[in-house]
Amino acid sequence: VTLKGKPRFSDFNLVPENWGADIHAWLVVFAAKYPFLEELRLKRMAISDESLEFLAVSFPNFKALSLLSCDGFSTNGLAAIATHCKNLTELDIQENGIDDKGGSWLSCFPESFTSLEVLNFANLSSDINFDALERLVGRCKSMRVLKLNRSVSLEQLQRLLVNAPQLAELGTGSFSEELTFRQYVELESALSNCKNMHTLSGLWDAKGIYLPALYPVCTHLTFLNLSYAALRSDELAKLLAHCPRLKRLWVLDTVEDKGLEAVGLNCPLLEELRVFPADPFDEEIIHGVTEAGFVAVSFGCPRLHYVLYFCRQMTNAAVATIVQNCPDFTHFRLCIMNPGQPDYITNEPMDEAFGAVVKTCTKLQRLSVSGRLTDLTFEYIGRYAKNLETLSVAFAGSSDWGMQCVMGGCSKLRKLEIRDCPFGNAALLSGLEKYESMRSLWMSACNVTMNGCRLLAREMPRLNVEVMKEDGSDDSQADKVYVYRSIAGPRRDAPPSVLTL
Amino acid sequence: MEKSSDKKDGLHLKDTELRLGLPGSESPEREDHDQNVLSLKSFVSGAKRGFSDALDGGGNWVFSGGSGGGTEGLFSPRRGGKNNGGKDLSGSDSGSVLKDGAAQKPSVVQEKKPQVAATSSHGNGNIAPASKAQVVGWPPIRSFRKNTMAAHPPKNDDGDGNAEAKLGSGCLYVKVSMDGAPYLRKVDLKIYGSYKELSSALEKMFSCFTIGQCGSHGVSSGDGLTESRLIDLLHGSEYVLTYEDKDGDWMLVGDVPWEMFTDSCKRLRIMKSTDAIGL
């Protein structure tokens, strides 16, 4: 069972914490009606330790638990899972709001326990008992995914790898402490024995001097996640020279345009690139990546179809070139970090950039726009983005017309999330007929009013129209609106701050 | 011909081991994870629009705030017809722009634009000139990543070992002597990135002398000295790599980070281990 709960903008603190999406009621029903549950994958759900304990004891054959971007639990809950789930094959804890009370949970796996195949605790920061981990890894011979947290040192990593050369995915721990020459050689040797490794991540605080130890593994890598390793361009270039088969690459913008040039030169098979900002909140930083880096990648990587790119400047011309080189984009997520920033050379809005994207990339499924955008961008989207399913808009548009174009033109639209745009009731209501065929609509800090929402709710009884008001705002304003279809009527677990109209 | 019997791989005798790292390999201290100075945890999710006022001269920001008073018809276009560029800006919002008491700087800095003073009713008078845009949830980065980067800010080597300067600025030749060798060599430390690389280069450079030495220690050169034997010799009991630093002291190579070493190394000496006691 896979369950996804809160609106995506909850990842960015835009949704009240007690909004809902609590897993417990589900577990109670499952335990009563379907105790054979083996796999549970949760995204943006609220989970308590009690729920995890309940889960651990209620499903005798439980095998796989994956938690992504969830919150409400602590390492005590993990301890319960480790203690009771005798057949566990997967424990995957990713990017959650977890209360890390210490690493003792890992020691709760019984000595007789050998079934684990996937273990990901990179999210946690506390020290774990390394001996317990070493024994666990040693006896779980089918382990193929191991993602460590920062507390695991390079030397400890080497000891683990010696006992687990079969690993296919590795998330290293800290990659920075001083090694003796012998330790370095041993690490390199242990890594070179991992013939099945295709995914590498972690590399926290990676020091350039130790990266060569990875070279033996790099030849077969298809996914390299360097998004927590602040590498310089030369360090990345040297590393990528050994990664010819790379299909997915995540980096920090510390690698700068020069680093991205190296991507274009060394990774012709690249399909996905994500560039995260190392310092997103400091406007005085003048480093990071620009349009030049993105263009360089596009010239060298014609198969690129997924990009997430955080930058501080962009031009319409650059984007036009990029999509000309890479017409097969399915996911185009461009974040010009300064809201409403125009083409920095022509000073024009970025309308033509996204126009080029939607005209050229006919397979486009997901689009995130940014920069200064007028309604023209949305005219383009409505007219050309016929396969678009997910659209994210922030600080953009000129009037209701923009959103109306999208609602009218994008027949396959399923998820629309908008913040800080001048779209009002007319825009909201233009999608009246459409929302039942969509998964959800989010609008915050727009011009929508309570009356508009009430009208929508009245006209479309099978939609839940939820409004979240903020303290001190005008009574008539609908600060945050979340609309989704439901055959079960209004939910009963909404907190007082969330009104279902 | 290895001296000690307790060696498995020739690298156990501490006195003579060519150690290329901090003895004991201390790991760096971890920073306090609770340090939220830079993280956005301080932002309350209930905050309203982040920008209270003009972003730049052209001001494409549109806020409804409480402005437009009057009747709020369902379809009253607040911004006039379509495509008008939407340049209306609200005056001050009712209520504070950002709720948290932490030093919030509501205005936005754009490098080329003049600073715009916030006119929001946000009462905080401590607005520093070069202020950061503090918009809730923007840029859209998950809390985990935000908190991780805030707790462990990526360093850029711009500390003492200025990496940019190093990469550009030519070479760093130092003399290398080996005990017993008839002449010295010179190496450019700048072309190596690590102790490992330097060590390999030195092994190659001085292998001719080592062969001769081996002969005198009872191993005939006709035994086919392979490269691995040479490595054992250099890393084993025969020699230690030392250097003279800026202060004129003779130090064991490998104790300090590579960049620090290249900064302070004046010359190298491959010393017989028997002479190295006390280093």
Side-chain angles (χ1 to χ4, degrees), chain A residues 167-182:
Chain A
L167 284 178
E169 298 184 27
L170 174 67
T172 73
S174 172
F175 216 76
S176 71
E177 86 270 17
E178 299 292 338
L179 287 182
T180 66
F181 181 70
R182 174 175 63 99

Side-chain angles (χ1 to χ4, degrees), chain B residues 118-181:
Chain B
T119 62
S120 79
S121 58
H122 187 61
N124 189 345
N126 320 334
I127 301 175
S131 60
K132 300 181 194 179
Q134 307 283 14
V135 184
V136 175
W138 188 267
I141 293 170
R142 281 195 184 140
S143 306
F144 176 72
R145 175 172 292 281
K146 267 189 321 205
N147 298 341
T148 304
M149 301 313 292
H152 298 258
K155 295 182 246 306
N156 231 339
D157 250 24
D158 272 330
D160 44 299
N162 194 331
E164 333 282 298
K166 202 192 306 297
L167 288 172
S169 64
C171 46
L172 188 63
Y173 278 103
V174 297
K175 285 185 192 170
V176 190
S177 60
M178 177 169 173
D179 289 359

Side-chain angles (χ1 to χ4, degrees), chain A residues 384-490:
Chain A
Y384 295 104
K386 293 306 178 187
N387 285 317
L388 194 65
E389 295 179 17
T390 304
L391 178 63
S392 305
V393 186
F395 305 104
S398 328
S399 72
D400 288 333
W401 173 242
M403 185 171 161
Q404 287 168 331
C405 288
V406 172
M407 299 313 300
C410 298
S411 44
K412 292 198 187 166
L413 195 64
R414 301 182 65 236
K415 284 180 272 191
L416 180 57
E417 44 185 32
I418 302 173
R419 62 165 293 177
D420 292 273
C421 295
F423 305 139
N425 295 328
L428 174 71
L429 294 167
S430 71
L432 206 74
E433 309 283 313
K434 202 164 168 52
Y435 297 130
E436 273 188 12
S437 65
M438 284 172 59
R439 191 181 277 190
S440 64
L441 166 75
W442 169 281
M443 288 179 76
S444 60
C446 296
N447 292 349
V448 174
T449 70
M450 293 298 291
N451 281 346
C453 295
R454 282 188 198 107
L455 185 62
L456 177 63
R458 190 159 60 238
E459 293 296 309
M460 305 297 296
R462 282 186 308 211
L463 292 179
N464 277 353
V465 179
E466 297 188 6
V467 176
M468 286 152 273
K469 297 220 16 102
E470 286 156 36
D471 300 337
S473 79
D474 199 306
D475 277 349
S476 60
Q477 282 308 107
D479 305 311
K480 295 175 182 170
V481 182
Y482 190 53
V483 179
Y484 57 93
R485 58 196 174 179
S486 174
I487 54 173

Side-chain angles (χ1 to χ4, degrees), chain A residues 18-34:
Chain A
N18 54 352
W19 181 87
D22 195 304
I23 189 60
H24 201 80
W26 293 84
L27 293 176
V28 169
V29 173
F30 286 144
K33 304 292 184 190
Y34 195 69

